[in-house]
DNA sequence: ATGATTGCAGAATGATGTTCGGCATCAAGA
DNA sequence: TCTTGATGCCGAACATCATTCTGCAATCAT
């Protein structure tokens, strides 16, 4: 066997699975990326160069997409948040819908399965601005209807977290099923 | 008048409105916060210390919430994204619902206006993990029903942008409003 | 058993963050 | 109009940190 024993594409050096140390590093950097490598290394139990090496690898591999300043919505003048469900006539309306990403108010555009076609996350200055955005949507050919869910309070909003829940209590019927599911995981 | 003329709480030094330079800085830093102050200053037309001073102010004022490493969802082992609408019996179920934020799969929890009470953004390892999370939700007292919108494709997903749309074409009823909006534009 | 590879620590170096002093600009009040 | 205070910027100095290099230890494969 010219391959490792624990999977098909392990050890390919540029896209390896994250180990515990990587997740610890990501956990710290996801919270504060301005930390020095000395402090970072101390937090995870690594020397500064070792921490730097692993972070560099995480960046190259794409595990760290980018390091960015997260802007306060209210400070940027957009206190209103809403999720907009868009129903279109037929499929393939995505290209024309993507035009609205020109507006900095639009933060997410997803195609979803369910009783709606597209889902938008938008952040606007006011109700008027939301109305303007909806008007812009209805001007788009193929847009049949929209339903807006205006956020009243945000209790949690954070970026992608490095951790995963190891075990979902209600789903583990027996130990064997749990182990089988674990071994079949895609990562 | 011991106050500035252009508003109630201008010039309070710790929470001032963002000017054009601030938005330019935020625009750059929202994309890449690893840039050096020398390059940052060059991008916006400022000396390194001046850029540093303004960025420091933006951090102190809270306009920059934090500088964080943005993690690739697939690299962290959570390729599945879903929005979950939660219907509860009556109000005030938020405190018990907040317990699920323990799971790193849960990225957002909002209370919304519309035909549902709460809205969750969750990112899971698999459909099984999503099922486990839903089971966890149904175990929560007061949860009546959930509707999940599984994301098929994500066309856009970005953090809060510094800019705002100055003018919404469909909303401009007369020239005067348009000119006023134009003059107030940030860019 | 042995050679190759990987990952980490310590030290040196270069780049960068950060602070300081001085100057120009602007607004308010005499 | 002149003065006074505050603000924001620049250039230079200084301190800190990122980054690289070398060597060593552990691991895996032959």
């Amino acid at each position: 066997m010219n391959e490792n024993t624990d999977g098909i594409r392990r050890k390919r050096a540029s896209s390896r699975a994250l180990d515990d140390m990587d997740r610890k590093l990501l956990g710290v950097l996801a919270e504060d990326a301005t930390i020095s490598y000395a402090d970072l290394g101390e937090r995870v139990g690594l020397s500064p160069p070792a921490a730097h090496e692993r972070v560099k690898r995480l960046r190259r591999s794409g595990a760290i997409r980018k390091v960015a300043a997260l802007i306060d919505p209210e400070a940027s003048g957009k206190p209103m948040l809403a999720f907009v469900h868009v129903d279109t006539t037929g499929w393939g309306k995505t290209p024309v819908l993507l035009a609205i990403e020109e507006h900095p108010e639009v933060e997410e555009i997803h195609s979803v399965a369910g009783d709606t076609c597209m889902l938008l996350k938008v952040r606007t200055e006011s109700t008027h601005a939301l109305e303007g955005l909806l008007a812009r949507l209805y001007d788009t050919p193929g847009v049949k209807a929209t339903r807006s869910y205006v956020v009243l309070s945000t209790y949690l909003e954070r970026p992608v977290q490095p951790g995963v829940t190891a075990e979902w209590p209600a789903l583990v019927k027996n130990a064997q099923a749990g182990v089988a599911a674990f071994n079949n995981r895609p990562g």
Side-chain angles (χ1 to χ4, degrees), chain A:
Chain A
M1 295 226 289
N2 54 358
E3 205 65 33
N4 208 318
T5 56
D6 68 330
I8 295 177
R9 48 184 172 184
R10 298 281 186 216
K11 201 86 169 288
R12 283 310 296 161
S14 62
S15 72
R16 194 171 16 221
L18 274 48
D19 61 6
D20 289 353
M21 183 60 75
D22 287 331
R23 292 197 188 270
K24 278 207 283 184
L25 288 167
L26 289 177
V28 175
L29 292 178
E31 198 58 35
D32 179 18
T34 67
I35 189 175
S36 72
Y37 285 113
D39 292 345
L40 177 61
E42 197 176 2
R43 287 276 297 272
V44 302
L46 238 53
S47 73
H52 178 258
E53 182 76 20
R54 294 191 80 119
V55 171
K56 204 167 55 178
R57 198 177 64 195
L58 287 170
R59 262 194 291 230
R60 271 204 309 267
S61 73
I64 295 180
R65 273 226 179 113
K66 62 179 176 182
V67 176
L70 301 185
I71 301 171
D72 181 66
E74 312 207 354
S76 80
K78 288 178 284 188
M80 162 155 292
L81 177 62
F83 292 88
V84 180
H85 290 213
V86 181
D87 291 337
T88 60
T89 60
W91 295 96
K93 304 301 178 186
T94 307
V96 288
L97 253 176
L98 283 184
I100 57 165
E101 84 173 59
E102 303 274 329
H103 296 285
E105 283 81 3
V106 179
E107 293 182 1
E108 301 185 19
I109 304 176
H110 308 279
S111 140
V112 299
D115 58 18
T116 194
C117 308
M118 307 285 296
L119 205 154
L120 272 55
K121 181 183 182 183
V122 302
R123 207 181 290 272
T124 58
E125 185 181 0
S126 61
T127 53
H128 293 302
L130 176 58
E131 188 182 6
L133 186 59
L134 291 176
R136 180 85 169 69
L137 271 178
Y138 275 104
D139 277 350
T140 305
V143 170
K144 193 167 58 181
T146 68
R147 251 169 313 146
S148 299
Y149 296 88
V150 175
V151 170
L152 305 174
S153 294
T154 292
Y155 296 96
L156 177 71
E157 187 171 26
R158 60 188 177 192
V160 180
Q161 301 291 299
V164 292
T165 299
E167 194 176 351
W168 296 99
L171 279 184
V172 176
K173 307 296 197 303
N174 53 58
Q176 196 172 358
V179 169
F182 183 79
N183 287 335
N184 275 332
R185 74 193 191 285

